Amino acid sequence: MWSCRKASRSLLRTAFTAGVVATSPLSLGFVAAPAHAAPGLLPFVVSNDSGRSDATYVYMIARDGSTGAQGYIDAGGTWHAFAFPSSVPAGQPNPAAPDVSIPGPVNGSSETLRIPENMVGGRTYVSFGQKLFFFLSPGGLVEPAPWTSSDPNHDILFDWTEWARSGASFDINTTMVDMFSVPMSVSISGTDGSTQSEGQLVSNGRSNIFNAMASLGGGWANLVYTRPSDGLPLRVEAPSRGLDGGAFSSTFFDGYVNDVWTYYSSHPLTVNTSVGTFTGSVSGTSFTFRDSGGNVIGTLPRPSTAEVLGCAGAMQPGGQPNETAILAVGARVCAALNRATLSTNSRPEYDTQPTSDASAFYGQAVSNQYSKVMHQNSVDGKAYGFSFDDVAGFSPSIYIADPASASMTLTPWTGGSTGGGTITGDPITGPGGKCID
């Protein structure tokens, strides 16, 4: 959810502003609204089965779906708007947000919170042993960005889930789009008695993930961060975040992208979306797509490595003749680049996207190996390893129109579930050897 159903990029990523550092936020301009408790509060159970003895702190951050105002939900289910400053003096840090933490469950226990209707862009953060730092800017909330060394949350153990409540319906997912730290699962129970769950890792999944990333070597191993104070493997950063601090190569995907662009300069690519089927071909650096009537819907410029990993920029261009259609195409092309399922030689089976055969994913070294590791260590093979990982249904997202309750569980760090979601690759050889609705 921050993650394609997106307003998310994993569900609703575009609805939030994640701060880079406290003095240099990204900004979203919304006017604050008064506090209110909406009818139809949805029970939201936070359970701690982590096996850790640390105190926990929970944060319920969300926007009012009617006004767009950004705020938080207290333990009783009342939403409050943040009071953002009109300005911050030059050279001064952004002021700290008020402490909106809710005491979380200790190991082996649960706490029941409540979510009002019409809340979008929701995130539920949980931290261990220490409260998180949030800041207020004139444009919006500056959220934790621990992949930045100067962020005060850099050495805090925490993670989050993402959700939205449109009217009474509810969407939720776990996410690894930015990083992985704390194993979690989510579930929704419907009024019909059914329950859907996602996000569960395989047995010892957390240690498996850290070990697998370290064993990949190179820039992948650089994405593993160990806390100096106690030697705890704290998190694995997504490569899109590793780029920010120079831990990952800014040219990693360049050769593969060039080969793909070369191949599709003499072969058509067909992309199926929920808004139609479109055909594209490359001329120079431009990948132009047309509808069945031959009308141009838009053009994807050749993307940089950062744009592939972030599924942004060239992958989601604005100002196009049919923006809805080209954004849908861009989501699927970006997923295919991360999964390395676009052809670089005569592989006609890859000339129609999206590819739904998971055995074809990540089959060459130049692919998103971080995402591959996340999927391999998920019980059902679903994970949000990059922004459009929900293309073809591979994200751990749940949607129920008439929910009775929802939950978020901090799952065991050792032991736990069995089974696995191993994705094996069908290598795509070529030069260099190398969801939206």
Side-chain angles (χ1 to χ4, degrees), residues 82-326:
F82 284 113
F84 295 110
S86 59
S87 64
V88 175
Q92 296 297 309
N94 291 310
D99 180 4
V100 301
S101 63
I102 301 168
V106 298
N107 183 52
S109 68
S110 300
E111 296 289 342
T112 299
L113 308 178
R114 287 166 177 79
I115 298 177
E117 293 182 359
N118 204 26
M119 292 282 104
V120 300
R123 283 186 172 182
T124 298
Y125 287 91
V126 177
S127 64
F128 288 76
Q130 187 176 347
K131 293 182 179 181
L132 293 171
F133 295 90
F134 294 81
F135 297 88
L136 303 174
S137 81
L141 185 68
V142 183
E143 297 182 58
W147 43 85
T148 302
S149 60
S150 59
D151 188 282
N153 301 288
H154 185 64
D155 285 331
I156 299 176
L157 175 63
F158 77 97
D159 219 318
W160 66 91
T161 59
E162 300 169 340
W163 49 266
R165 193 165 186 227
S166 178
S169 68
F170 196 61
D171 293 78
I172 193 169
N173 62 255
T174 57
T175 177
M176 293 122 164
V177 169
D178 292 308
M179 68 177 206
F180 167 76
S181 182
V182 178
M184 298 179 178
S185 66
V186 293
S187 68
I188 309 177
S189 295
T191 55
D192 61 359
S194 65
T195 298
Q196 297 181 40
S197 299
E198 285 290 354
Q200 187 74 35
L201 298 185
V202 301
S203 182
N204 299 313
R206 187 181 195 272
S207 59
N208 291 349
I209 288 171
F210 278 86
N211 292 337
M213 291 300 298
S215 69
L216 287 172
W220 300 109
N222 294 340
L223 300 175
V224 176
Y225 177 69
T226 299
R227 186 161 62 188
S229 61
D230 58 4
L232 175 70
L234 193 63
R235 65 180 169 273
V236 181
E237 297 173 5
S240 58
R241 292 305 183 184
L243 286 173
D244 297 344
F248 195 76
S249 171
S250 63
T251 60
F252 178 79
F253 269 105
D254 291 4
Y256 177 52
V257 168
N258 289 340
D259 293 341
V260 166
W261 254 238
T262 297
Y263 175 80
Y264 289 107
S265 66
S266 57
H267 299 79
L269 174 66
T270 300
V271 180
N272 296 314
T273 79
S274 63
V275 295
T277 297
F278 308 98
T279 302
S281 61
V282 172
S283 177
T285 62
S286 298
F287 210 145
T288 299
F289 287 84
R290 301 175 184 271
D291 62 21
S292 59
N295 303 300
V296 172
I297 63 161
T299 297
L300 303 178
R302 185 167 57 202
S304 66
T305 289
E307 290 171 322
V308 171
L309 291 171
C311 287
M315 295 284 86
Q316 294 286 277
Q320 303 289 304
N322 185 336
E323 193 158 298
T324 298
I326 196 63

Side-chain angles (χ1 to χ4, degrees), residues 403-431:
S405 64
S407 68
M408 166 181 166
T409 301
L410 310 176
T411 54
W413 283 38
T414 58
S417 299
T418 57
T422 301
I423 299 176
T424 57
D426 175 18
I428 307 168
T429 57

Side-chain angles (χ1 to χ4, degrees), residues 267-437:
H267 299 79
L269 174 66
T270 300
V271 180
N272 296 314
T273 79
S274 63
V275 295
T277 297
F278 308 98
T279 302
S281 61
V282 172
S283 177
T285 62
S286 298
F287 210 145
T288 299
F289 287 84
R290 301 175 184 271
D291 62 21
S292 59
N295 303 300
V296 172
I297 63 161
T299 297
L300 303 178
R302 185 167 57 202
S304 66
T305 289
E307 290 171 322
V308 171
L309 291 171
C311 287
M315 295 284 86
Q316 294 286 277
Q320 303 289 304
N322 185 336
E323 193 158 298
T324 298
I326 196 63
L327 293 182
V329 168
R332 288 156 173 80
V333 170
C334 193
L337 288 170
N338 276 275
R339 296 167 179 167
T341 61
L342 285 171
S343 190
T344 58
N345 61 5
S346 186
R347 295 293 297 272
E349 64 269 37
Y350 295 120
D351 293 345
T352 298
Q353 293 293 332
T355 303
S356 58
D357 178 8
S359 68
F361 295 178
Y362 312 111
Q364 60 180 24
V366 180
S367 60
N368 192 333
Q369 297 293 298
Y370 167 89
S371 184
K372 177 181 179 179
V373 167
M374 299 303 159
H375 284 273
Q376 285 179 327
N377 287 284
S378 297
V379 167
D380 61 2
K382 294 181 179 180
Y384 246 128
F386 58 90
S387 288
F388 287 112
D389 213 356
D390 44 7
V391 166
F394 288 94
S395 74
S397 299
I398 309 170
Y399 168 81
I400 290 186
D402 192 14
S405 64
S407 68
M408 166 181 166
T409 301
L410 310 176
T411 54
W413 283 38
T414 58
S417 299
T418 57
T422 301
I423 299 176
T424 57
D426 175 18
I428 307 168
T429 57
K434 321 183 204 175
C435 113
I436 199 168
D437 291 334

